[in-house]
């Protein structure tokens, strides 16, 4: 039992005071975990585009002031009343996609959309009392996605924390909390890519590259990587792309380019950007008759997708994925074990390692497109 158990902890955190404002690294007070909650000492946290999207004020659930961050790994400092699945000292990955094992969605074999705490994580508070565990100068600061990993300590629901191998390097497996897992799961769980099939991947950030890695591992015979930034193509080929296309090099819609390259389109297409026009393009270059298009990208609040109904009438399927369809607390440990067994390329997604105090510089790198994943340590 940590000697801090049951007591508030003053620690370093990056506070998002408002949309488009730089994060302020400062002292935050983290209250002890309540019933059904776990306080985690964060060892490493990475930045995902979704953090940037929320900081830009594009997330309808983005509440300020808050502590962002949802891709991390750490060690349990203490647990609240009734917690049985983890204990102090356990190595864990916070999971923004919770898993209770009891709700209708957890019990359904084809869904990971647990609802046990979702109504509360969307409001930046904890389920047991509807309050935040973070305060700055006595004033509450909202949680984010039920994880808030841009802090030396955070408090999460028990449903939102996966226990992982104590020997796993936390500054590497932190990536499994979001983007890379999502790309892999979109291929394996959502699309169920078959050997010999054709795939198109729009957007070559960490998520898109993870789709490519998984599609190659699933035996896809053609993997077309699409991005506006040609500097992304070398990595795409390293991860398994068989062709790279820059829409800027063509004077026709990108979906027409892909259909002409593949005769009728690709068996599977993936949008890994968050751009509703690209989502349409990805659907419309899915193969006539049977193509499946998977939306992974997160679009800004209020944005909608559209296409001609004829695209669906002629057999294309349009779907999406949250966290790659992984049932988090059950399957994240397996992803860690796969990494430990050398089965995945996780290290290659880490392009920068920086100190936590450099978090605003890390966001600049993400915005410049010079970074796949930047891992921050304290
Ligand atoms: N559904 C889910 O569970 C998850 C969704 N996401 C979302 O996935 C998306 C990708 O995340 P990251 O890889 O971290 O983003 P990123 O910003 O690192 O990568 C996006 C890539 O798309 C490219 N791009 C931008 N506009 C384009 C266009 N019009 N055509 C072609 N390429 C274009 C950029 O050059 C960049 O390489 C984001 O929207 C993020 O919020 C991320 C994690 C989980
Ligand atoms: N709060 C946003 C939701 C944006 C979104 O789609 N989030 C993804 C994860 S993105 C991680 O980097 C997701 O899995 N959503 C499922 C969920 O339950 O939020 C909005 O309201 O649009």
């Amino acid at each position: 039992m940590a000697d801090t158990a049951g007591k508030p902890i003053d620690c370093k955190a990056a506070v998002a005071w408002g949309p488009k404002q730089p994060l302020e690294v400062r002292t935050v007070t983290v209250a002890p975990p309540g019933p059904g909650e776990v306080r985690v000492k964060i060892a490493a946290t990475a930045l995902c585009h979704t953090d940037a999207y929320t900081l830009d004020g594009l997330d309808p659930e983005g509440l300020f002031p808050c502590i962002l961050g949802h891709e991390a790994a750490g060690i349990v400092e203490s647990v609240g009343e009734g917690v049985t699945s983890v204990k102090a000292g356990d190595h864990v990955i916070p999971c923004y996609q919770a898993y209770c094992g009891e709700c209708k969605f957890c019990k359904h074999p084809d869904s990971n959309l647990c609802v046990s705490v979702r109504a509360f994580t969307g409001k930046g508070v904890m389920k047991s009392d509807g309050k935040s565990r973070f305060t700055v100068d006595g004033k509450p600061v909202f949680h984010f996605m039920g994880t808030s990993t841009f802090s030396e300590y955070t408090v999460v629901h028990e449903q939102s924390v996966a226990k992982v191998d104590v020997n796993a390097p936390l500054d590497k497996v932190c990536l499994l909390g979001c983007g890379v897992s999502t790309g892999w799961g979109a291929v394996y769980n959502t699309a169920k890519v078959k050997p010999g099939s054709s795939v198109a991947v729009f957007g070559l950030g960490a998520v898109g590259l993870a789709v490519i890695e998984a599609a190659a591992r699933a035996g896809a015979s053609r993997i077309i990587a699409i991005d506006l930034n040609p500097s992304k193509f070398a990595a795409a080929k390293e991860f398994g792309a068989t062709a790279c296309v820059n829409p800027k090099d063509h004077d026709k819609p990108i979906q027409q380019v892909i259909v002409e390259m593949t005769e009728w389109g690709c068996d599977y297409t993936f949008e890994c950007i968050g751009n509703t026009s690209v989502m349409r393009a990805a659907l419309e270059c899915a193969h006539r008759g049977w193509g499946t298009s998977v939306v992974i990208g997160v679009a800004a609040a209020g944005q909608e997708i559209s296409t001609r109904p004829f695209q669906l009438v002629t057999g294309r399927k349009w779907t999406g994925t949250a966290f790659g369809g992984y049932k988090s607390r059950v399957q994240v440990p397996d992803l860690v074990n796969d990494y430990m067994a050398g089965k995945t390329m996780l290290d290659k997604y880490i392009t920068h390692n920086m100190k936590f105090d450099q978090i605003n510089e890390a966001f600049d790198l993400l915005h410049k497109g010079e970074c796949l994943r930047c891992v921050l340590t304290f």
Side-chain angles (χ1 to χ4, degrees):
M1 174 87 78
D3 57 10
T4 49
K7 302 170 188 165
I9 294 176
D10 286 345
C11 68
K12 186 185 290 187
V15 180
W17 290 108
K20 298 188 188 298
Q21 293 180 30
L23 302 181
E24 183 192 19
V25 177
R26 56 167 301 159
T27 299
V28 166
T29 300
V30 185
E37 300 170 9
V38 178
R39 189 159 62 181
V40 179
K41 181 172 176 29
I42 297 298
T45 184
L47 276 65
C48 169
H49 184 93
T50 308
D51 296 307
Y53 142 93
T54 305
L55 186 54
D56 283 347
L58 302 176
D59 181 347
E61 294 182 300
L63 301 168
F64 296 94
C66 72
I67 294 176
L68 298 167
H70 63 282
E71 198 170 281
I75 300 173
V76 174
E77 174 269 341
S78 63
V79 301
E81 178 192 335
V83 171
T84 57
S85 60
V86 292
K87 64 186 182 304
D90 283 348
H91 288 207
V92 295
I93 289 177
C95 301
Y96 75 84
Q97 186 56 60
Y99 177 82
C100 70
E102 293 157 13
C103 74
K104 182 177 184 180
F105 299 87
C106 286
K107 287 183 174 175
H108 194 290
D110 296 333
S111 179
N112 67 335
L113 296 173
C114 175
V115 291
S116 61
V117 296
R118 184 61 181 80
F120 300 90
T121 59
K123 294 185 174 67
V125 296
M126 302 305 285
K127 182 174 183 178
S128 64
D129 60 5
K131 293 179 181 173
S132 168
R133 299 291 172 265
F134 297 110
T135 51
V136 171
D137 301 332
K139 297 187 177 69
V141 172
F142 288 113
H143 296 246
F144 172 66
M145 291 175 74
T147 50
S148 290
T149 62
F150 292 165
S151 177
E152 280 181 310
Y153 289 86
T154 188
V155 175
V156 300
H157 297 102
E158 181 180 13
Q159 298 92 323
S160 298
V161 68
K163 181 179 176 181
V164 300
D165 184 332
V166 69
N167 297 310
L170 298 177
D171 61 344
K172 301 289 194 302
V173 298
C174 58
L175 263 57
L176 296 174
C178 186
V180 176
S181 304
T182 299
W184 293 340
V187 170
Y188 299 135
N189 303 325
T190 310
K192 298 183 173 62
V193 171
K194 303 289 184 296
S197 56
S198 56
V199 170
V201 184
F202 292 78
L204 304 177
V207 173
L209 292 178
V211 169
I212 293 171
E213 178 188 1
R217 198 156 281 135
S221 56
R222 287 185 80 174
I223 302 174
I224 303 169
I226 300 126
D227 204 299
L228 297 174
N229 180 352
S231 71
K232 302 280 188 169
F233 292 162
K237 287 179 180 158
E238 182 184 3
F239 279 74
T242 57
C244 293
V245 178
N246 183 343
K248 290 179 184 172
D249 296 339
H250 299 270
D251 57 4
K252 60 182 83 168
I254 186 61
Q255 56 267 48
Q256 188 179 339
V257 172
I258 302 302
V259 168
E260 289 172 0
M261 281 176 71
T262 56
E263 196 183 3
W264 296 114
C266 290
D267 300 313
Y268 307 93
T269 68
F270 298 84
E271 198 277 359
C272 309
I273 302 164
N275 178 314
T276 52
S277 300
V278 180
M279 291 172 191
R280 175 171 189 161
L283 174 84
E284 294 180 356
C285 68
H287 201 290
R288 185 178 190 278
W290 58 77
T292 295
S293 188
V294 182
V295 172
I296 304 178
V298 171
Q303 293 198 346
E304 297 179 349
I305 50 176
S306 65
T307 188
R308 285 188 61 214
F310 182 71
Q311 294 288 341
L312 304 182
V313 166
T314 49
R316 294 170 190 81
K317 300 174 191 66
W318 213 351
T319 188
T321 190
F323 194 53
Y326 283 116
K327 291 181 182 281
S328 56
R329 286 200 291 160
V330 174
Q331 294 185 284
V332 165
D334 295 339
L335 297 178
V336 170
N337 295 340
D338 286 348
Y339 166 68
M340 302 281 283
K343 295 178 182 175
T344 59
M345 298 164 67
L346 198 60
D347 293 26
K348 289 185 179 290
Y349 293 91
I350 299 173
T351 52
H352 297 78
N353 287 286
M354 300 171 85
K355 298 309 286 181
F356 186 76
D357 289 347
Q358 298 176 281
I359 192 165
N360 285 310
E361 291 167 58
F363 269 101
D364 291 344
L365 287 172
L366 197 65
H367 282 301
K368 285 177 189 167
E370 297 169 9
C371 165
L372 286 178
R373 279 300 185 266
C374 176
V375 174
L376 304 176
T377 48
F378 292 94

